[in-house]
Structure formats: C-alpha cells, structure tokens
Amino acid sequence: MDDIILKKKSYLDDIRERRERYAALTASSNSVIIKPSIAPELKKRSDMLKQILDDTK
Amino acid sequence: MNQDPHYIKGMLERLKDLDDLTRTMQEKFEGEGNRNKYAWMVLPFLKAFYVKKGTTDDVVQRIMNIVSSPIVIAAFGALGYLSLITTIEGILAQPYLYIGIGIALYLYSVIVIFFRQLDFKDELFDLHAFKAIHPSLYQSFQSFSGTAPFSFNSLHESIRTILEREQQTGIEAYTELKAVYEKLEKLTEERDLLIKDIEFYEANLSNLLSVYDHSLKLVQASIDNGISKDILYLYCDYSLFEKTGDMLVLKEGHHTYDIPKEISLEDAEKQNWAIIKACLAQKEKDLFQIDIRNHQVSLAIKMNVMQTVYVYSFHFPEREMDRLIDRIMRDELHSLLYHCILLYNKEKEG
C-alpha cells in the first residue's frame, strides 16, 4: 500500500482511538458530576418551606 | 423527622396556641410565689364571696338604702337588742344546727370553687393548690418561669428563622446549581457536536483514502495497460450491466452467481429490481435505486460512459447497510466509479 495512505490511515486510527477514549472518559465523568435530580429536589423543598412559612405567619 | 408540610404547619400553629398557656403560667408563678402554702384549703369559702362581690355589692347597697332611713334605724335599734339576745340564746340552745349550716356552706363553696383553683385560665387559680394536686405538672411548668422564661412563640420564631434560612440557602443553591447545569448542558451540546464533527471528518478522510488508494490502482493499471475487472471491485460484491436495446446484459460481477446474465427491461416480475429502476430513470435524482430481497441489498447506479449506458450495482447483506451506504453515497466515490467504468470501457473497446 502507498506510504501516504499508510501514514494517513495510521493518523486516522490515532484520531479514532482518541475520540473513543474521550467518549469513554465523558461517559464515566457524567456519572461523577452532581446528579441533575438534586436541583429540582432543592427547588421543591424550598417551595414547600416557603409555603409553610407563608401559611404560618 | 416528619417532613410532611401539613405536619410541620400544624406543629407551628399549635406552638402559637400553647403560648397562651405558658404566659398564664408565668403570671401565676410570679404573682403567687409568696402566699401561704395552705391558704388554698380554706380560701374557697372566701373566694366564693370574692366571686360574688359584684352581686353582693348591689344587694348591700339596696339594703343600705333601706336601712339608712331614720324609721328603720330606730326600729332596728330597738330590735337589735332583742335579736342579739335571741340569737345568742338560739346558738347556745342549738349550737349543732349553726355548726351544720356553717359546714354545709363551706362544702358548697369547696365544690364550686375548689376545681377552679386548678384551672390556669380561671381567675381563682391557686398555685399551691395546683402544686398539691399535680406535683409533677407543677415541676414541669416551673421551667416556663424565671429570668429567661420559655415562650412557645419564641420557639415558633426560632423555628421559622431556621426554616427561612434553609429556604434561602435552598433557593441560592438551586440558582447556582441551575446556572451550572445550564452551562454544563451547553458544554455538553458543544462537545457532542464536536464529536459528531470528528466522526464526520474521520469518515470523510477514510473514504477519501479508499478512493485515493483505488485511484492509484487505476493509474497503475492504466500505465501497465493491464486493466482487469479488479478495478471495478470497490467495497463489496458488484454486478455491471450494459444496456443493449431493451436488455441489460451482465458484463462483469463479483460473487453474483445467482444474477441472470440477461434481463429484459420489460420483464414485469423484475420491475422492482434496482438495476431496472435505475436503468429506466429519467431524472438525475432517480439514478440511484435500491431494493432489498432476502436480506440482500442491491444498490444500483446508472452511468453514461462514452455513449454506452452502464448500470453498476453494489450487493451486500442488509446488516451491512449502515456501514456501507454512507461510503457508497458519496460524490467522490461516484466520480471514481465513473472513471473505473470509463477505463474498463476503453479497454473493452481496445
């Protein structure tokens, strides 16, 4: 096979490998980042407290 | 901890109600601390008069109005001596009757007044009576008095302050988290787009390399004058038909043993075949046709090469569809295919 093609294929394989590694890292980091469910839960609790405070003035 | 909002609300409201009780307790503790410990036992009788004081005053006033007239005073003066003598004689003669009446009056006052001495909210409440009858409760309520008296209202306010602080912290945390999530979401979207871009350029580069590789083979074959049907093989099995009159004649192929050597363009049973549909196509957008039979895909392309109509068909299993269709449906590949067939045609023409 032509040298240029071999070189380009090797470069392409390198990009593919890096992309896959990055995708795997991203997937694992997503589970470490704070769960998005915490924010709505905080809002819900705060609204509930506000309601109690308003009702018991 | 019970976090039910109705429960918390109920608790806070009850605390406010309870404060009436503690305030009364504090007042009683402060006001009655120096009184005689045992007075509550004899006080009911006197308290009975105290309670009836208003009524008593009215009656006394009327009586005083009557008795203050001179005639009545004169009459009372005369009768006074007589009655005093009679009363003393009566008491001396029948002492038990008067003692009985006295005891009966006392017991009556006890029945009416006694329990009122145990009621916080009653004006006749007596701390020593309460202590004697409910010593444990008395001990508990002692903590409500003193220099820093307990108040349910202050407890209520303290809880409210804590809840307000928690609510404020919650809102601030929520706002910050929301901003972080929004930023994260944007970054994620951008990242996903970048990954797609990389994938797209990867695929492009990969295909261009294949085309380039195949082009080099074409050039080499042309230089060597050794054009063979191998130059027609691209990514998968194929068949190459030439249009001759109303017939499509199979010229070359790779592993296409079950494909007829000749196919009539008017064959009713084969009108759905990709090669027939592509060959009969009039518009440019219809030059590419596809059919799937028995999980085998045929993707046909019609090409006019040097006044000859060719139909090139890719053949591959259905499961390879996603991988190959992206590689086949590219301009660079069609250009390459055209030049492959052109070289093939020139070789054939000699």
Side-chain angles (χ1 to χ4, degrees), chain A residues 9-33:
Chain A
K9 275 192 183 298
S10 162
Y11 171 65
L12 199 59
D13 287 343
D14 187 39
I15 289 178
R16 185 176 297 119
E17 194 185 316
R18 280 162 62 193
R19 177 176 56 76
E20 284 170 359
R21 203 166 57 231
Y22 177 72
L25 268 173
T26 308
S28 64
S29 67
N30 278 347
S31 61
V32 177
I33 294 170

Side-chain angles (χ1 to χ4, degrees), chain A residues 1-2 4-12 15-17 19-20 22-23 26-27 29-30 33-57, chain B residues 3-6 8-10 12-13 16 156 159-161 163-164 166-171 173-174 177-178 180-181 184 188 191-192 195 198-199 201-203 205-207 209-210 212-214 216:
Chain A
M1 194 177 275
D2 184 73
I4 296 171
I5 294 174
L6 283 174
K7 207 179 282 180
K8 294 285 179 193
K9 275 192 183 298
S10 162
Y11 171 65
L12 199 59
I15 289 178
R16 185 176 297 119
E17 194 185 316
R19 177 176 56 76
E20 284 170 359
Y22 177 72
T26 308
S29 67
N30 278 347
I33 294 170
I34 310 164
K35 285 180 188 171
S37 61
I38 288 175
E41 182 61 27
L42 263 175
K43 179 82 168 65
K44 199 174 136 191
R45 283 180 61 82
S46 296
D47 288 347
M48 184 192 81
L49 279 175
K50 181 83 170 58
Q51 185 66 41
I52 291 171
L53 289 167
D54 288 346
D55 289 349
T56 54
K57 264 182 185 171
Chain B
Q3 296 190 357
D4 178 13
H6 297 292
I8 297 172
K9 189 180 160 189
L12 286 173
E13 279 170 353
K16 284 169 86 177
H156 175 262
I159 292 173
R160 273 185 63 85
T161 308
L163 291 180
E164 274 168 358
E166 195 187 332
Q167 192 257 344
Q168 194 57 37
T169 310
I171 288 292
Y174 167 72
L177 270 179
K178 199 171 161 223
V180 170
Y181 288 145
L184 205 61
T188 308
R191 181 201 63 196
D192 291 346
I195 289 179
I198 293 171
E199 283 174 348
Y201 288 114
E202 258 181 49
L205 183 57
S206 174
N207 283 321
L209 282 177
S210 299
Y212 176 64
D213 188 25
H214 204 85
L216 286 181

Side-chain angles (χ1 to χ4, degrees), chain B residues 289-335:
Chain B
Q289 295 290 338
I290 191 165
D291 75 59
I292 303 170
R293 282 172 285 138
N294 301 323
H295 300 292
Q296 286 292 317
V297 179
S298 295
L299 200 164
I301 305 172
K302 178 186 176 183
M303 284 189 179
N304 286 310
V305 179
M306 308 287 283
Q307 280 87 44
T308 307
V309 174
Y310 284 99
V311 180
Y312 184 98
S313 184
F314 296 90
H315 303 286
F316 51 87
E318 196 176 357
R319 65 174 180 279
E320 299 278 347
M321 177 95 106
D322 290 343
R323 186 179 68 86
L324 284 173
I325 204 96
D326 181 53
R327 303 187 74 184
I328 291 169
M329 297 304 286
R330 283 174 178 268
D331 288 344
E332 61 266 26
L333 183 81
H334 303 153
S335 175

Side-chain angles (χ1 to χ4, degrees), chain B residues 251-270:
Chain B
K251 289 294 180 184
E252 301 294 344
H254 188 265
H255 290 171
T256 49
Y257 312 114
D258 53 342
I259 291 180
K261 297 273 188 268
E262 290 186 347
I263 303 169
S264 169
L265 287 169
E266 292 170 354
D267 188 337
E269 289 181 3
K270 297 184 176 66

